Amino acid sequence: MADADSSFNASSVDLNNTPLVDIICYLNGSGNAYDNRLGLHIASIFVILVVSTAVTFFPVLATRIRRLKIPLSAYLFARYFGAGVIIATAFVHLLDPAYAAIGPSTCVGLTGGWSTYSWPPAIALSSAMIIFLVDFIAEYYVEKRYGLVHAEVENIITDASGANGNGTHGAHGSHLHLHSADQDDRPKGARRAPAAVRSEKFDSDLEELTHLTGDSEEIHRAFQSQISAFLVLEFGVIFHSVIIGLNLGVAGGSDFNTLFPVLVFHQSFEGLGIGARLSVIPIPTRWRWLPWALCLAYGLTTPISIAIGLGLHNTYSGSSYTANVVSGVLDSVSAGILIYTGLVEMLARDFLFNPHRTNNKKRLALMLVSLYLGCGIMALVGRWA
């Protein structure tokens, strides 16, 4: 079936004989509500650009600019608030809109092959499993290249400290130190302490954060292990940012009045999640420009999309059949990416399988409260956008 049945006449509808799908597709494809408030739309471009970009850069600045002296508590709040935002984005801001675009009760979901299966969860599942495969291959490659031996599951369960008889880390520690949360409190230039004294160092109150950088073998293998998963995460968020930017560019009236301020928070919270994840990836010296470029890429995506939407306001309709197919598929793909990244890369590795996780109860409480706060607020924002 095409965008709608070409024989459908909206001025003369026989409700007894006209297929419901024709009516739904006609109503969905009724154009956009752009109202020629060009000044406000242009203002939205710059407001979202400045605010979302600044928030995205904050966690990266906290770990790389020592003279800023950003308190550890502020950084941890931003980092775990951002993790909660990523998880809420996956379920509330991506999977739910995917159902609204190509789900069983939509114009798309009632036509052709789309009507034979519930596609949003299937696409999200496929996306998550593909990302798992990419992540696994990346880590397998790093292990083989640098001669690391992956620990057996029994060792992870029975040897929580990851230390062997001589007080140094075995395979479990060697593998897991490639991941993000191990670097929370490590002072610049400090060597890893024995397991017996490391908890004291990780529970100390530091006035500023430093980031592991340089050209050591440890940094290179950590970078190679983590960067592929992060790039996939950012691309997943960017897909979503393009769609909502286009929709804001052609929105008008009360829709624009609601959508604009909500998207300022929406994009800022997502940017915080992106920056928080990026801030804990060790970066070799020759790639030191990469974090700044990736933060800027996210910050520019939605403003550019808004500008494109403005340019296409006479022809683009976010509710058309084609737009629904594109946005529904991209949202489903992005949902799978963020579900895997949020639950595995951010939660499981930081809280459950991190041998250097802090035992400081106040710090753990801050991390968990920040996580749930980010998740809850971002889910609430989904009420409007």
Side-chain angles (χ1 to χ4, degrees), residues 37-349:
R37 291 190 292 176
L38 183 61
L40 281 176
H41 282 81
I42 293 176
S44 71
I45 294 175
F46 292 99
V47 171
I48 292 178
L49 171 64
V50 173
V51 176
S52 63
T53 302
V55 173
T56 307
F57 273 107
F58 172 77
V60 179
L61 289 169
T63 55
R64 286 170 170 80
I65 308 297
R66 298 186 61 182
R67 61 180 175 273
L68 292 179
K69 299 183 183 295
I70 295 173
L72 177 63
S73 58
Y75 168 75
L76 290 179
F77 172 81
R79 174 175 171 181
Y80 290 102
F81 184 92
V85 165
I86 292 297
I87 295 169
T89 297
F91 289 97
V92 178
H93 295 265
L94 291 172
L95 198 54
D96 182 64
Y99 272 100
I102 60 174
S105 61
T106 65
C107 169
V108 176
L110 292 171
T111 60
W114 295 100
S115 64
T116 62
Y117 193 68
S118 183
W119 288 101
I123 296 173
L125 173 63
S126 301
S127 174
M129 296 307 296
I130 291 172
I131 300 311
F132 159 73
L133 185 61
V134 171
D135 193 21
F136 172 74
I137 291 175
E139 292 203 14
Y140 183 83
Y141 166 77
V142 171
E143 289 173 3
K144 289 299 182 182
R145 177 172 178 178
Y146 292 98
L148 301 178
V149 179
H150 195 86
E152 296 180 356
V153 174
E154 307 88 76
N155 294 336
I156 297 176
I157 296 174
T158 60
D159 186 10
S161 68
N164 58 26
N166 59 13
T168 59
H169 281 289
H172 177 44
S174 298
H175 173 69
L176 286 182
H177 82 254
L178 299 180
H179 299 293
S180 59
D182 310 327
Q183 320 298 338
D184 280 348
D185 316 359
R186 188 179 177 188
K188 186 175 181 180
R191 296 180 179 274
R192 290 192 174 272
V197 300
R198 188 175 294 119
S199 61
E200 295 180 7
K201 290 184 177 294
F202 274 73
D203 289 340
S204 63
D205 293 325
L206 299 181
E207 294 300 324
E208 59 183 302
L209 286 167
T210 57
H211 188 77
L212 191 63
T213 187
D215 292 310
S216 68
E217 181 179 288
E218 179 187 28
I219 292 172
H220 278 281
R221 65 175 179 249
F223 173 75
Q224 292 174 359
S225 174
Q226 296 183 53
I227 194 62
S228 58
F230 173 80
L231 290 175
V232 171
L233 165 66
E234 176 154 356
F235 289 145
V237 173
I238 282 178
F239 287 154
H240 178 52
S241 298
V242 169
I243 299 298
I244 62 177
L246 289 171
N247 289 337
L248 182 62
V250 298
S254 60
D255 288 342
F256 179 85
N257 295 340
T258 301
L259 198 58
F260 175 31
V262 170
L263 285 188
V264 172
F265 290 100
H266 182 285
Q267 290 306 102
S268 298
F269 291 159
E270 280 191 357
L272 192 60
I274 289 289
R277 176 64 185 146
L278 182 59
S279 70
V280 291
I281 299 178
I283 305 292
T285 301
R286 70 188 183 94
W287 292 101
R288 60 181 177 270
W289 55 269
L290 187 61
W292 315 107
L294 292 174
C295 288
L296 186 61
Y298 169 79
L300 289 172
T301 299
T302 301
I304 291 175
S305 299
I306 296 172
I308 293 173
L310 273 174
L312 299 176
H313 69 269
N314 289 325
T315 57
Y316 176 77
S317 172
S319 59
S320 69
Y321 185 95
T322 301
N324 277 325
V325 171
V326 173
S327 64
V329 171
L330 289 181
D331 281 349
S332 299
V333 170
S334 299
I337 293 172
L338 268 63
I339 288 172
Y340 175 84
T341 302
L343 298 180
V344 176
E345 295 285 338
M346 293 182 172
L347 294 194
R349 283 177 173 161

Side-chain angles (χ1 to χ4, degrees), residues 6-24:
S6 58
S7 63
F8 179 77
N9 184 358
S11 62
S12 178
V13 179
D14 183 353
L15 295 179
N16 293 321
N17 298 312
T18 302
L20 179 61
V21 61
D22 289 349
I23 299 174
I24 294 175

